[in-house]
């Protein structure tokens, strides 16, 4: 088995494992739902071609209805919707029609958009938690965009006492007729529809639209699916998964590829886990202990994948993963660390960071997402390989070590989720330009920019150059380290996938002791290699 086949096999196993865990919690699909899925899957059996944003925008300009898929539990799905909306021409009027609101709640939607209902009042009025239930925070930016641009938002969903596979068709008919009504009511507008990906199959909602408006209207409907598993693995076989963000399925159908399949299903698993926890609040924990995710096993799975990928022999004997609900974690911290270190750890937790404490062999997972779990796995691997013994906390003395730690953690997360994107220098400059002189985070952005300039001066041999920034807040060093580490890890991963950096070189990098007094020498030696590698993109905003 060659390296590519091994790469594919491991990732397919990971995807299937995540999918099985979701199925275990949801139960088996009914025959009706299986048939509905089968129709949807046929959309991706046709010959497709790699495409680009320009082709999508051109086709969108010729369309009267744009339908973009929604994987409800995946935040990246809603982020993509916002990015597409922001890219629409300013002179084209738009109506936003969405699945996550019911048509019966239209008056409440209008009141919220006009400011007559507060967000809290609105969510209660539309019964968001019981009728939809997915995180409102993921959908809020869509509504903020609509409010800012004075865009009408229309609900497309219909309430059923019990949602089943049989009601899917009824909902398609209802939504299709509603969209057709909007086309007739707003003939000069673009009707931008957000609905579950399954419903975008041509014989689902689109067919219901054409039943009202005529078969010829089909060419005026553009469909933008998101993250097809079958297309992803075809891209992986061709080694195009890292460079292809959009594929064209037909003249008026595209598929956006923003996350690998296992990331999509892991996010769904996390959603189900949180929902399950809420539902078990009044049930004895001992009775349901086996149903909770084992986070040590979860992170340990990524440890194995990453260490195998890099040819490292790293066991998980020293890995114990804790979350915010584990009170024993904080007891261990208090027993083993001085007050200064405790405060640093407190801040790490408060700021939503995942981290590894080598002194007590404890890993803290802030969130169960793929990026957090994978970066934590890499932190653990790095600590084992470099024989790290102390927690990095003394800034500015540990600043370079923190950058490197964040960089390798980001690199490890890219092995699991190669679609992850980091900020670039261009993004940092843009963020600085948009902030006021005293806004939170500006100090960290200035430090990151100054450090990057300093690194370039050192690498190019400018004698006696000093870092031109001295933050007042110690935490600014950590934020800057995360920004710089992300850029470093992104470039390193790109070089690795292009076979410009060998696994042997990577292993030689990882063994460098971070807590050494002479780490700065090793850091600039490694950085010289990394900076010679090509950057994949100028700004993450280039990506769709």
């Amino acid at each position: 088995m060659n390296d590519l086949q091994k790469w594919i096999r491991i990732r397919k196993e990971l995807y299937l494992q995540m999918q099985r865990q979701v199925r275990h919690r949801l139960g088996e699909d009914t025959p009706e739902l299986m048939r509905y899925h089968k129709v949807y899957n046929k959309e991706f059996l046709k010959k497709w071609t790699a495409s680009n944003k320009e082709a999508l925008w051109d086709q969108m300009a010729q369309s009267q209805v744009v339908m973009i898929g929604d994987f409800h539990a995946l935040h990246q799905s809603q982020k993509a919707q916002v990015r597409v909306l922001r890219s629409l021409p300013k002179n084209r009027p738009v109506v936003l029609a969405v699945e996550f609101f019911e048509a019966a709640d239209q008056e409440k939607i209008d009141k919220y958009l006009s400011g007559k209902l507060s967000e809290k009042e609105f969510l209660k009025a539309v019964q968001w938690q019981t009728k939809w239930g997915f995180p409102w925070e993921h959908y809020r930016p869509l509504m903020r965009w609509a409010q800012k641009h004075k865009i009408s938002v229309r609900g497309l969903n219909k309430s059923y006492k019990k949602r089943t596979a049989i009601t899917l068709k009824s909902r398609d008919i209802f939504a299709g007729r509603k969209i057709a009504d909007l086309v007739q009511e707003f003939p000069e507008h673009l009707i931008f529809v957000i609905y579950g990906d399954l419903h975008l199959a041509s014989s689902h909602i689109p067919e219901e639209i054409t039943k009202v408006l005529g078969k010829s209207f089909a060419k005026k409907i553009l469909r933008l699916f998101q993250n097809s598993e079958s297309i992803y693995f075809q891209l992986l076989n061709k080694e195009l998964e890292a460079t292809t963000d959009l594929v064209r399925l037909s003249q008026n159908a595209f598929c956006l590829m923003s996350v690998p399949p296992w990331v999509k299903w892991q996010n769904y698993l996390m959603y189900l886990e949180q929902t399950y926890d809420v539902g078990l609040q009044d049930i004895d924990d001992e009775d349901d202990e086996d149903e909770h995710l084992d986070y040590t096993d979860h992170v340990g799975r990524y440890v194995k994948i990453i260490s195998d990928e890099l040819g490292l022999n790293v066991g998980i004997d020293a890995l114990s993963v804790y979350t915010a609900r584990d009170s024993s974690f904080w007891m261990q911290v208090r027993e083993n660390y001085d007050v200064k270190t405790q405060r640093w750890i407190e801040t790490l937790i408060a700021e939503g960071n995942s981290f590894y404490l080598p002194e007590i062999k404890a890993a803290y997972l802030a969130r169960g997402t793929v990026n957090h779990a994978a970066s934590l796995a890499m932190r653990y691997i790095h600590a084992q390989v470099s024989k790290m013994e102390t927690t990095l906390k003394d800034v500015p003395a540990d600043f370079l070590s923190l950058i490197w730690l964040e960089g390798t953690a980001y690199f490890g997360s890219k092995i699991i989720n190669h679609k992850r994107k980091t900020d670039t220098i261009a993004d940092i400059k843009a963020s600085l330009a948009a902030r006021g002189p005293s806004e939170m985070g500006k100090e960290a952005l200035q430090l990151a920019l100054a450090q990057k300039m300093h690194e370039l001066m050192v690498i190019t041999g400018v004698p006696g150059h000093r870092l031109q920034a001295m933050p007042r807040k110690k935490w600014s060093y950590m934020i800057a380290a995360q920004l710089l580490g992300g850029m470093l890890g992104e470039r390193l991963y790109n070089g690795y996938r292009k076979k410009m950096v060998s696994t042997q070189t990577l292993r030689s990098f990882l063994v460098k002791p971070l807590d050494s007094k002479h780490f700065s020498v090793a850091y600039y030696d490694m950085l010289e290699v990394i900076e010679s590698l090509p950057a994949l993109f100028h700004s993450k905003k280039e990506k769709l």
Side-chain angles (χ1 to χ4, degrees):
M1 184 181 290
N2 61 35
D3 290 343
L4 177 60
Q5 289 172 326
K6 181 182 176 183
W7 178 271
I8 293 169
R9 179 183 58 79
I10 290 170
R11 278 145 187 82
K12 189 164 280 190
E13 285 174 359
L14 182 60
Y15 152 61
L16 292 172
Q17 192 172 40
M18 295 297 176
Q19 196 179 51
R20 279 195 298 270
Q21 289 188 55
V22 169
R23 297 292 179 215
H24 173 70
R25 282 162 172 76
L26 292 177
E28 291 300 316
D29 287 345
T30 62
E32 293 85 358
L33 187 55
M34 288 172 71
R35 283 195 291 271
Y36 198 83
H37 269 279
K38 189 176 180 180
V39 171
Y40 166 78
N41 289 331
K42 284 181 180 177
E43 296 284 341
F44 309 106
L45 297 177
K46 306 163 191 172
K47 188 176 180 180
W48 52 265
T49 56
S51 192
N52 53 49
K53 290 187 294 184
E54 289 70 32
L56 178 62
W57 304 151
D58 286 346
Q59 191 61 38
M60 203 175 285
Q62 302 170 47
S63 305
Q64 198 167 348
V65 173
V66 169
M67 302 184 70
I68 183 169
D70 185 36
F71 195 81
H72 312 320
L74 178 66
H75 193 192
Q76 191 61 39
S77 182
Q78 292 85 45
K79 285 182 176 179
Q81 293 155 12
V82 173
R83 285 196 290 269
V84 174
L85 283 169
R86 286 174 178 164
S87 300
L88 294 175
K90 299 292 186 288
N91 60 349
R92 190 171 189 188
V94 177
V95 173
L96 181 58
V98 299
E99 178 191 12
F100 51 85
F101 292 143
E102 292 183 2
D105 288 324
Q106 192 58 52
E107 187 179 346
K108 296 162 189 171
I109 298 168
D110 294 340
K111 283 185 176 180
Y112 171 64
L113 288 171
S114 64
K116 293 176 182 176
L117 276 179
S118 69
E119 184 178 282
K120 186 177 180 181
E121 290 169 334
F122 171 66
L123 295 178
K124 184 178 179 181
V126 298
Q127 301 176 60
W128 177 271
Q129 202 56 44
T130 54
K131 286 188 175 181
W132 190 247
F134 294 94
W136 166 249
E137 296 77 23
H138 296 181
Y139 292 91
R140 182 191 284 127
L142 290 162
M143 298 301 285
R144 291 273 170 84
W145 178 85
Q147 284 178 316
K148 179 181 178 181
H149 297 282
K150 295 180 171 56
I151 300 295
S152 176
V153 177
R154 300 298 182 95
L156 291 179
N157 218 335
K158 185 178 181 181
S159 184
Y160 289 89
K161 287 184 179 178
K162 187 178 181 182
R163 284 191 178 181
T164 65
I166 297 171
T167 65
L168 283 171
K169 189 61 180 174
S170 299
R171 289 171 57 212
D172 284 351
I173 293 169
F174 182 81
R177 288 174 179 172
K178 282 287 179 185
I179 294 165
D181 288 345
L182 290 171
V183 170
Q184 292 171 330
E185 185 182 351
F186 301 98
E188 302 302 319
H189 286 59
L190 173 68
I191 311 302
F192 193 96
V193 178
I194 295 173
Y195 220 101
D197 223 66
L198 290 175
H199 299 269
L200 269 59
S202 56
S203 58
H204 292 162
I205 291 179
E207 185 176 275
E208 300 304 327
I209 299 172
T210 57
K211 282 179 182 178
V212 179
L213 300 176
K215 287 186 178 180
S216 63
F217 191 79
K219 62 186 179 184
K220 295 184 179 181
I221 302 172
L222 184 148
R223 295 174 296 147
L224 179 56
F225 295 93
Q226 290 205 58
N227 301 305
S228 160
E229 286 99 337
S230 63
I231 287 180
Y232 176 81
F233 284 108
Q234 290 175 58
L235 288 168
L236 197 58
N237 271 305
K238 297 176 180 179
E239 297 189 81
L240 295 172
E241 80 287 352
T243 55
T244 305
D245 295 327
L246 189 70
V247 300
R248 191 165 198 162
L249 306 171
S250 66
Q251 181 66 25
N252 57 352
F254 294 78
C255 186
L256 177 62
M257 308 300 294
S258 61
V259 296
W262 52 91
V263 174
K264 184 167 80 170
W265 288 97
Q266 175 66 41
N267 275 266
Y268 198 7
L269 191 61
M270 292 301 105
Y271 164 74
L272 292 173
E273 175 74 2
Q274 291 161 9
T275 305
Y276 188 79
D277 283 348
V278 172
L280 291 177
Q281 284 177 351
D282 299 321
I283 301 177
D284 186 353
D285 287 341
E286 292 182 7
D287 294 339
D288 297 276
E289 186 177 356
D290 292 338
E291 290 295 330
H292 289 299
L293 287 176
D294 183 336
Y295 286 105
T296 298
D297 180 60
H298 177 44
V299 175
R301 187 184 303 122
Y302 291 150
V303 169
K304 186 177 188 314
I305 291 171
I306 296 169
S307 55
D308 285 353
E309 172 69 28
L310 301 179
L312 295 167
N313 184 21
V314 178
I316 58 171
D317 297 342
L319 178 67
S320 294
V321 179
Y322 299 86
T323 63
R325 67 184 181 193
D326 294 314
S327 57
S328 60
F329 174 75
W330 192 245
M331 289 172 62
Q332 290 185 64
V333 169
R334 285 182 173 171
E335 289 170 4
N336 291 277
Y337 292 98
D338 58 32
V339 174
K340 181 183 176 182
T341 309
Q342 285 181 38
R343 285 176 181 164
W344 181 257
I345 294 169
E346 277 181 11
T347 308
L348 285 170
I349 293 171
E351 295 295 329
N353 290 273
S354 296
F355 53 90
Y356 182 70
L357 301 176
E359 298 93 337
I360 59 173
K361 296 179 172 59
Y364 179 83
L365 184 65
R367 295 169 60 198
T369 63
V370 171
N371 288 344
H372 271 265
S375 63
L376 183 58
M378 189 63 198
R379 290 175 196 278
Y380 170 78
I381 291 169
H382 197 176
Q384 301 307 304
V385 173
S386 67
K387 295 181 171 52
M388 187 176 172
E389 296 179 348
T390 57
T391 300
L392 300 172
K393 63 183 184 303
D394 297 320
V395 289
D398 288 338
F399 187 36
L400 296 185
S401 298
L402 284 169
I403 296 171
W404 182 243
L405 184 66
E406 294 300 319
T408 55
Y410 187 92
F411 170 84
S413 75
K414 288 278 288 187
I415 289 177
I416 303 299
N417 179 15
H418 62 83
K419 287 289 187 179
R420 189 181 185 188
K421 299 292 182 289
T422 187
D423 286 298
T424 64
I425 285 293
D427 296 316
I428 291 176
K429 287 179 177 177
S431 293
L432 273 171
R435 290 170 186 258
S438 59
E439 274 192 71
M440 183 71 72
K442 184 161 187 175
E443 186 178 72
L445 291 169
Q446 289 172 329
L447 173 60
L449 195 58
Q451 173 63 26
K452 194 65 184 173
M453 295 304 106
H454 175 63
E455 289 175 356
L456 293 174
M457 293 298 105
V458 172
I459 290 171
T460 53
V462 176
H465 190 272
R466 293 182 177 276
L467 179 61
Q468 302 297 313
M470 190 60 65
R472 291 178 290 107
K473 298 172 186 174
K474 287 186 177 296
W475 189 248
S476 293
Y477 282 100
M478 188 64 198
I479 298 172
Q482 290 169 342
L483 287 167
L484 294 165
M487 284 186 268
L488 185 152
E490 186 82 55
R491 195 179 284 256
L492 183 59
Y493 177 80
N494 185 41
Y496 170 66
R497 288 298 291 146
K498 287 181 180 293
K499 297 180 171 57
M500 299 171 73
V501 178
S502 67
T503 51
Q504 184 177 354
T505 299
L506 284 170
R507 290 194 295 269
S508 72
F509 285 176
L510 291 171
V511 298
K512 307 290 185 189
L514 283 87
D515 41 13
S516 164
K517 292 180 179 178
H518 306 292
F519 178 74
S520 62
V521 176
Y523 176 82
Y524 284 108
D525 285 345
M526 294 184 292
L527 194 66
E528 190 168 357
V529 174
I530 295 166
E531 284 296 326
S532 69
L533 302 171
L536 198 59
F537 50 89
H538 175 68
S539 166
K540 68 177 182 181
K541 291 179 181 177
E542 295 171 1
K543 313 301 282 184
L544 186 61

